Amino acid sequence: MLSAGRLLRVIGGGLAGVALLELALQGLGLGLGLLDAQRRGPGGGDFTVLCLGACYTLGLGLPADQSYPALLEDALRDHHPGLDARVVNGGVRGKNIDHFSANIEALLDAHQPDVVVVNINRRLDGSAEALAAAQAPPAPRPWDALVLPRLVGLVLHPPAPGGTPAPAAEGTLSARVRATEQRPDDPAAWAALATALIERDELGPALAAWHTHLALSPDPRPAQHMRLFGLLVGTGDFAGAAETLALVRQRWPDFAQALARRSAQKRRETARADTDMVLREAIDEARVAIVRGGPAELARAAGLLEGALARDPDTAEAWSLLAFLRWTAGETLDPADALGARAALVQDADVAHGLRAGSVADADAARDTMETLLALHIARIAAAAEARGARVVLENLSTLPAQQAALARIAAGRDLPLVDLQGGILAHPDRRRLFHSAQHLRLSADGNHWIADQIHAQLDAEELVP
């Protein structure tokens, strides 16, 4: 057994060895080089781009290989032969620049990009707490500059081959596909697969899975038919949706009351502080009104949906239901016009400036707060990137007009490239082609190709590609 004195000498010797190793790594610059190579997958990487944003960055509504980051990687490799280019899709559903600025240091350290493409969309938290947090980001800690702990972390948690590991949702989807293969006659397995596909906004495949679920179910309940109605509306099959709705009304005339009670109970059970419950209630009540039917109820449903879109113009379900109501009235709502139409629906000053409803009461204060928040978040991202030798490129898809003007001023003041995707789409001679044929507010494969081309052109113009 070691004596206390001998134990202290052993510990001291170990600490001295650790210190010497850290000094050696710092002096030779090996640690970060090894870390970078591992993070970029086998064979290293000449050029890495990290794309940050929400739904449009994720490419919801299309397979992952048709998202704009995946297409940007293809474009870089096609136009720069021999360049080992990698583009990381860092999109997170429903998140905006305040989320990414709060986590930017960890994101940069994890992916070691040469360029960060940051989307600015309309959601910002304008509360006093959020403003204070943006003004005082966490100070760097002395041990953050040490190389050895990062190398140890790399050894203990090596990255997956090929770079970024697949999201957990991919694993869930694969498991549910296997379940349908193993139990092809199990309606529950097909329902679970449809749910996983809905969570990924792949509504076409989800609709096919749900049709199979219904065919295998001995006596489908009205709620199952209403799920079918929602999928038919989401994929643009309004005639099929109307037929399904008529079936529900005929076979279960009291279902609207049951739906209202169940929706209210679910809202109570799942209420969260970060969820706009007023928005959820408006959509739930619109759905109930649609089931009831009749001119007065359908007009009420349209008003509820327009109110929901005034609170959050990016609510895809509200757009789809409103398009269905317009179809039943003999009108149309073109997906290509959604970007312009949603701005016209915005009436509340907070929403008009991209702040969460109720965060700032005065319109002038909301505008000033919005610009201050954008400036602070962009400054933090730019500083973190510069400290790590990366460049920042901004893009403005899904911003509102006041945000676009503020963003242009901030980008010019910091000499940051700004890709005007919003303006480019609104000026495009064939906007319809850029949008999904049925899912409102979702881009088509052509739309994602267009975005990838615009960003690639900006990277080349700024001479950011080696």
Side-chain angles (χ1 to χ4, degrees):
M1 186 171 179
L2 290 174
S3 66
R6 186 176 180 186
L7 180 60
L8 288 173
R9 286 194 297 274
V10 170
I11 293 173
L15 291 175
V18 169
L20 288 173
L21 178 58
E22 174 65 29
L23 287 173
L25 290 173
Q26 291 279 0
L28 294 175
L30 292 178
L32 291 179
L34 289 172
L35 183 64
D36 293 352
Q38 287 292 324
R39 287 294 183 185
R40 293 178 180 178
D46 300 327
F47 184 65
T48 298
V49 179
L50 172 61
C51 299
L52 303 178
C55 298
Y56 289 125
T57 303
L58 278 173
L60 292 183
L62 292 169
D65 62 358
Q66 293 184 37
S67 66
Y68 101 71
L71 298 172
L72 176 60
E73 180 173 291
D74 292 342
L76 287 168
R77 293 181 174 181
D78 290 344
H79 289 84
H80 303 274
L83 179 68
D84 185 4
R86 186 172 72 100
V87 179
V88 179
N89 190 333
V92 182
R93 185 193 298 249
K95 299 300 183 183
N96 191 16
I97 189 172
D98 45 10
H99 167 82
F100 295 110
S101 72
N103 297 279
I104 189 61
E105 293 84 5
L107 288 166
L108 293 172
D109 290 341
H111 300 292
Q112 296 291 305
D114 299 287
V115 172
V116 187
V117 179
V118 184
N119 168 251
I120 314 296
N121 64 44
R122 54 168 298 276
R123 293 181 179 89
L124 282 172
D125 184 355
S127 66
E129 295 79 8
L131 187 59
Q135 289 173 320
R141 300 165 299 184
W143 54 86
D144 287 340
L146 297 180
V147 173
L148 187 57
R150 297 174 68 188
L151 286 179
V152 172
L154 177 63
V155 172
L156 294 178
H157 304 286
T164 309
E170 294 283 353
T172 301
L173 181 59
S174 299
R176 292 184 177 179
V177 169
R178 286 195 301 272
T180 60
E181 293 170 347
Q182 295 164 0
R183 306 190 306 277
D185 297 328
D186 181 2
W190 288 99
L193 174 59
T195 298
L197 289 164
I198 290 170
E199 290 172 352
R200 292 162 50 92
D201 266 26
E202 295 189 21
L203 300 188
L207 176 60
W210 195 255
H211 270 305
T212 305
H213 162 73
L214 287 177
L216 293 171
S217 300
D219 186 19
R221 299 183 302 276
Q224 292 169 280
H225 287 286
M226 284 305 298
R227 172 64 67 91
L228 175 62
F229 166 79
L231 287 168
L232 290 167
V233 167
T235 54
D237 185 356
F238 294 154
E243 183 179 338
T244 301
L245 189 60
L247 174 66
V248 171
R249 289 170 177 164
Q250 179 183 359
R251 291 184 59 184
W252 298 281
D254 296 329
F255 176 66
Q257 288 76 11
L259 179 60
R261 289 193 300 269
R262 190 176 63 183
S263 298
Q265 181 181 357
K266 189 174 181 180
R267 287 197 303 273
R268 289 193 297 269
E269 292 173 349
T270 60
R272 299 187 329 188
D274 60 347
T275 301
D276 188 341
M277 301 306 296
V278 175
L279 176 66
R280 280 188 55 185
E281 183 176 2
I283 296 175
D284 286 348
E285 289 190 6
R287 200 183 297 112
V288 170
I290 289 171
V291 174
R292 288 195 178 107
E297 286 294 323
L298 294 181
R300 178 171 174 267
L304 287 166
L305 293 169
E306 290 179 356
L309 289 169
R311 292 185 69 86
D312 186 352
D314 294 323
T315 309
E317 183 180 7
W319 278 110
S320 296
L321 289 172
L322 186 58
F324 171 72
L325 291 176
R326 297 278 176 87
W327 176 85
T328 61
E331 304 171 6
T332 59
L333 181 62
D334 190 343
D337 293 332
L339 286 175
R342 66 182 192 145
L345 286 171
V346 173
Q347 297 173 355
D348 183 90
D350 293 1
V351 178
H353 294 92
L355 302 179
R356 293 175 186 167
S359 56
V360 180
D362 179 76
D364 291 336
R367 183 184 59 250
D368 294 342
T369 299
M370 175 271 295
E371 186 157 354
T372 298
L373 282 167
L374 281 180
L376 290 170
H377 292 312
I378 291 171
R380 178 170 176 182
I381 290 173
E386 183 179 357
R388 291 159 176 80
R391 291 288 303 276
V392 173
V393 174
L394 305 174
E395 56 97 345
N396 66 354
L397 184 60
S398 192
T399 58
L400 294 173
Q403 287 181 322
Q404 293 165 31
L407 184 57
R409 288 191 292 270
I410 295 166
R414 302 195 68 88
D415 195 25
L416 295 175
L418 172 61
V419 187
D420 184 14
L421 296 178
Q422 187 83 353
I425 284 181
L426 294 176
H428 197 281
D430 187 12
R431 283 187 289 161
R432 182 189 295 269
R433 182 173 60 83
L434 304 181
F435 286 83
H436 196 284
S437 59
Q439 296 178 42
H440 297 275
L441 298 181
R442 298 288 180 252
L443 294 176
S444 64
D446 284 343
N448 281 335
H449 270 289
W450 180 84
I451 291 177
D453 289 343
Q454 299 301 305
I455 293 178
H456 175 233
Q458 188 77 46
L459 296 180
D460 275 350
E462 298 290 332
E463 299 184 345
L464 298 179
V465 185

